[in-house]
């Protein structure tokens, strides 16, 4: 048994002058020595942009868009319906010989046809030509030999109700209500029915009706 060592004697496995605990020398139990790492990175700086700056940035983006939209509408005719030639549809209906076909006459160039079709349907055939009026409204001219009891609910929907008569040209037309804010003029003849329907005002409905009567 070894004799007790003096209190000021350094243990054999510890270098002289190193009085740190073993755990401190090794960077913790079971790990190598570690240098102190950099302090945590500071958080991102909060945005200093004011609402005014953001509004100016948004305005800078919107101005070119507004200019392009104005150019598109003002110079390229954006949002304007494209006129078509309705003559082929009228000729097709005449060639079929199912009913007398009237081509509107006397209308100004401000009446723009935008769609036209002639189709055989159940119970007969129907010619439809859509127009944009001089006031920018929509009117559809329908000529058909489909029986009125089937044609009117189809063209005017179940909302169609007679509202009285009016004389235009050589015929007597019936006023009808139609879908939404539309109204219609209807000419009933033995071999065909003519309908002028749309959201146009009464004067333009009458003008179209007079052009085909």
């Amino acid at each position: 048994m070894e004799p007790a060592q003096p209190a000021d004697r350094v243990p054999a496995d510890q270098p002289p002058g190193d009085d740190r605990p073993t755990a401190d020398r090794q960077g913790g139990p079971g790990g190598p020595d570690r240098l102190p790492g950099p302090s945590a990175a500071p958080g991102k700086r909060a945005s200093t942009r004011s609402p005014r700056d953001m509004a100016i940035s948004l305005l800078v983006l919107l101005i070119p868009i507004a200019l392009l939209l104005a150019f598109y509408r003002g110079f390229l005719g954006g949002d304007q319906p494209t006129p078509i030639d309705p003559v082929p549809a009228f000729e097709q209906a005449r060639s079929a010989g199912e009913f007398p076909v009237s081509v509107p006459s006397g209308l100004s160039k401000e009446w723009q046809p935008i769609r036209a079709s002639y189709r055989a349907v159940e119970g007969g055939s129907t010619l439809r030509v859509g127009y944009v009026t001089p006031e920018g409204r929509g009117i559809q001219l329908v000529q058909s030999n489909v029986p009125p009891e089937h044609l009117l609910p189809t063209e005017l929907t179940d909302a169609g109700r007679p509202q009285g008569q009016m004389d235009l040209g050589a015929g007597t037309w019936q006023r009808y209500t139609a879908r939404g804010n539309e109204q219609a003029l209807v000419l009933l003849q033995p071999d065909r029915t003519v309908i002028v329907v749309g959201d146009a005002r009464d004067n333009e409905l009458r003008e179209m009706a007079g052009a085909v009567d």
Side-chain angles (χ1 to χ4, degrees):
M1 180 174 182
E2 295 182 2
Q5 297 180 1
D8 56 354
R9 183 177 177 181
V10 178
D13 60 347
Q14 180 172 335
D18 191 351
D19 56 356
R20 293 178 301 161
T22 304
D24 289 345
R25 295 200 310 274
Q26 296 180 349
D33 291 344
R34 294 176 181 168
L35 295 175
S39 58
K44 293 184 178 179
R45 295 175 58 189
S47 174
T48 58
R49 298 185 65 186
S50 66
R52 179 176 177 273
D53 294 334
M54 297 178 68
I56 292 175
S57 300
L58 183 60
L59 186 62
V60 170
L61 291 175
L62 290 178
I63 287 177
I65 297 175
L67 291 175
L68 288 174
L69 185 60
F71 178 78
Y72 171 70
R73 290 183 173 178
F75 295 94
L76 301 182
D79 297 336
Q80 296 296 323
T82 303
I84 57 97
D85 182 7
V87 171
F90 283 109
E91 291 180 346
Q92 185 181 3
R94 280 180 169 168
S95 297
E98 295 289 327
F99 53 84
V101 176
S102 297
V103 178
S105 61
L107 297 176
S108 70
K109 293 182 179 180
E110 295 179 297
W111 287 81
Q112 296 290 326
I114 57 172
R115 56 182 171 272
S117 66
Y118 173 76
R119 291 190 178 90
V121 296
E122 184 177 356
S125 300
T126 300
L127 170 65
R128 293 187 182 88
V129 184
Y131 294 85
V132 174
T133 74
E135 295 183 2
R137 303 282 186 168
I139 277 183
Q140 184 168 228
L141 170 64
V142 180
Q143 302 179 61
S144 178
N145 64 342
V146 175
E149 60 270 22
H150 300 301
L151 179 67
L152 295 183
T154 299
E155 303 298 330
L156 308 181
T157 74
D158 293 337
R161 296 289 184 274
Q163 302 292 308
Q165 298 181 347
M166 63 183 303
D167 292 331
L168 282 173
T172 300
W173 292 72
Q174 305 274 350
R175 288 184 178 274
Y176 272 80
T177 57
R179 64 178 67 86
N181 63 339
E182 294 183 349
Q183 54 183 336
L185 298 176
V186 178
L187 178 64
L188 299 174
Q189 296 179 329
D191 46 7
R192 71 168 180 174
T193 298
V194 181
I195 302 173
V196 177
V197 58
D199 63 355
R201 294 195 297 176
D202 183 69
N203 63 310
E204 290 185 323
L205 288 171
R206 292 167 61 97
E207 185 176 357
M208 175 59 75
V212 298
D213 190 7

